[in-house]
Amino acid sequence: MTTANSNEVIIINSKTITLDEPIKRGDTTITSITLRKPKAGELRGVSLVELGQMNVAALQQVLPRITTPILTAQDVANLDVADLVEIGSEVSLFLVKKADRMAYQKE
């Protein structure tokens, strides 16, 4: 996380999301995930337009690279739609320039 003085907006480089519908993996239940802002190399092979539009296939490629615990493509496919939309929205915000995020956060 990057912080700023009281006149600036805080720019977040990671976000923890509590899932409405936890993910079950055998005996393990995942109730929250942490998204990390991706680096350019982690976006290889993915259309940024599709990622920004929260395309499920694009999210299935990128989320295993930026989530803790690591979500598999199958985990993403089985997410509750509300959780997928929240996660996709956060990933989309990571793609926006700081100045644009600041304008969005002020609204």
Side-chain angles (χ1 to χ4, degrees), residues 15-62:
K15 173 79 176 188
T16 299
I17 295 173
T18 301
L19 301 173
D20 281 347
E21 297 291 327
I23 298 169
K24 292 239 181 217
R25 276 196 205 146
D27 295 335
T28 304
T29 301
I30 300 170
T31 58
S32 66
I33 62 162
T34 300
L35 298 170
R36 180 183 40 76
K37 182 177 179 178
K39 301 287 186 186
E42 293 166 320
L43 301 174
R44 70 190 174 285
V46 178
S47 165
L48 295 180
V49 171
E50 289 179 355
L51 191 58
Q53 292 174 336
M54 300 188 304
N55 176 284
V56 175
L59 288 169
Q60 284 179 309
Q61 282 187 273
V62 172

Side-chain angles (χ1 to χ4, degrees), residues 2-21:
T2 301
T3 59
N5 67 35
S6 61
N7 294 329
E8 296 178 12
V9 175
I10 296 173
I11 304 301
I12 298 174
N13 291 323
S14 66
K15 173 79 176 188
T16 299
I17 295 173
T18 301
L19 301 173
D20 281 347
E21 297 291 327

